[in-house]
Amino acid sequence: MESTEIHIDPAALPRHVGIIMDGNGRWARQRGQVRTKGHEEGLKRAKDIAKAAADIGLEYVTLYVFSTENWKRTEQEVGFLMNLIHLHLLDELQFYRDNQIRVRQIGDLSGLPQNIQKDIREAEADTKDFTGLTIVLAVNYGGRDEIVRAVNRLSAAPAGRHPITEADISSAFDMPDLPDVDLLIRTGGEKRLSNFLMWKSAYAELVFSDTLWPDYGRQEFYRDIAEYQRRTRKFGAVPDDTAEGGRT
């Protein structure tokens, strides 16, 4: 870790951190540059944060790469983003190997261009035996869309599954073994979830940063983890030490 001023308890790390990487376009606009330049810088930051997460032993980090709503952007920007994903998956495999990072994807894979589908499958296969950090790329992902697709998978299953339980729905998600989100970070100053991991973020601790994603670095990431560790997670219950006269 670069700074001794940020204390992180290795025994109390969040198991799963979700990140909404917001602010690439505004970062570029502030510098008189085209939006695509912001996306290029944002991709570099994603790599830096992945390394920072691996260095402290996090298990899962999910990055909101491309949402189901992002198709509404201009054809030029969508094409650039698809190519950026393609190049990243080709160019960074050695980085994932060197750091024993496993790559997985959630989202409607069938709705992506064929070359991107191939890139994702190859990255997942190439890294499947790595036991360090798992980076989950949310590509063509929407929280509601994932729930709808899970319900459709269940409805297509053989009879006898009723009544459907929470465990049933979770088992039909894109990545059934992905744990619930413990810490959800959004950069860029906005304070909303934007359809990201709606089901798995039910009890996530939320941290909203005003920093635009291309400026969000290792130290701020560690500060946000330290903030998570200062909070008391109650999951609807009241801990014994706050039952009387304490925080409710």
Side-chain angles (χ1 to χ4, degrees):
M1 198 178 306
E2 294 175 1
S3 173
T4 58
E5 297 178 359
I6 303 171
H7 175 71
I8 294 177
D9 181 357
L13 291 171
R15 189 178 181 203
H16 180 191
V17 178
I19 305 179
I20 301 174
M21 307 176 291
D22 195 16
N24 293 337
R26 281 172 285 157
W27 181 92
R29 188 167 61 248
Q30 288 176 3
R31 288 157 179 78
Q33 299 173 344
V34 294
R35 286 178 58 85
T36 51
K37 181 62 177 176
H39 294 312
E40 288 178 352
E41 291 300 316
L43 185 59
K44 295 176 185 176
R45 197 60 55 237
K47 180 179 175 181
D48 292 343
I49 295 302
K51 182 65 166 65
D55 285 348
I56 60 171
L58 289 183
E59 290 187 60
Y60 296 91
V61 171
T62 299
L63 302 176
Y64 207 4
V65 177
F66 189 90
S67 77
T68 50
E69 289 75 32
N70 286 156
W71 296 107
K72 300 173 185 177
R73 298 186 178 185
T74 66
E75 183 177 348
Q76 179 184 13
E77 185 172 357
V78 168
F80 180 87
L81 289 169
M82 288 296 116
N83 189 55
L84 203 60
I85 294 168
H86 168 69
L87 293 176
H88 173 77
L89 291 171
L90 290 179
D91 295 344
E92 300 301 343
L93 277 177
Q94 192 57 50
F95 166 77
Y96 293 126
R97 294 186 189 110
D98 291 343
N99 292 282
Q100 288 290 293
I101 295 173
R102 186 178 183 184
V103 179
R104 300 182 72 179
Q105 182 263 348
I106 56 174
D108 186 359
L109 188 65
S110 67
L112 292 167
Q114 289 295 323
N115 66 320
I116 303 297
Q117 294 184 39
K118 179 175 179 289
D119 294 335
I120 290 171
R121 291 192 185 102
E122 289 180 352
E124 289 182 323
D126 189 86
T127 63
K128 66 182 177 63
D129 295 323
F130 295 163
T131 57
L133 170 71
T134 295
I135 281 287
V136 183
L137 305 178
V139 185
N140 196 25
Y141 178 85
R144 289 180 175 179
D145 178 69
E146 183 178 35
I147 294 170
V148 168
R149 287 185 291 107
V151 171
N152 283 329
R153 290 184 186 117
L154 290 173
S155 67
R161 297 185 64 104
H162 298 286
I164 292 175
T165 66
E166 288 187 14
D168 291 330
I169 295 175
S170 292
S171 72
F173 279 160
D174 297 332
M175 187 175 161
D177 55 322
L178 183 66
D180 285 351
V181 177
D182 298 303
L183 169 62
L184 192 152
I185 299 168
R186 180 173 188 146
T187 64
E190 302 292 350
K191 295 178 174 61
R192 55 179 177 272
L193 297 183
S194 294
N195 201 17
F196 180 55
L197 295 172
M198 304 293 287
W199 182 278
K200 291 189 176 294
S201 295
Y203 278 98
E205 294 296 321
L206 308 180
V207 173
F208 297 104
S209 168
D210 289 332
T211 304
L212 301 178
W213 176 248
D215 291 328
Y216 185 87
R218 174 183 291 246
Q219 291 305 296
E220 187 163 356
F221 181 54
Y222 287 161
R223 282 196 296 271
D224 289 342
I225 292 174
E227 166 63 22
Y228 162 85
Q229 293 185 335
R230 286 191 290 269
R231 299 184 184 181
T232 300
R233 305 186 74 199
K234 297 185 289 186
F235 299 96
V238 179
D240 290 342
D241 60 348
T242 63
E244 293 184 8
R247 195 160 49 116
T248 60

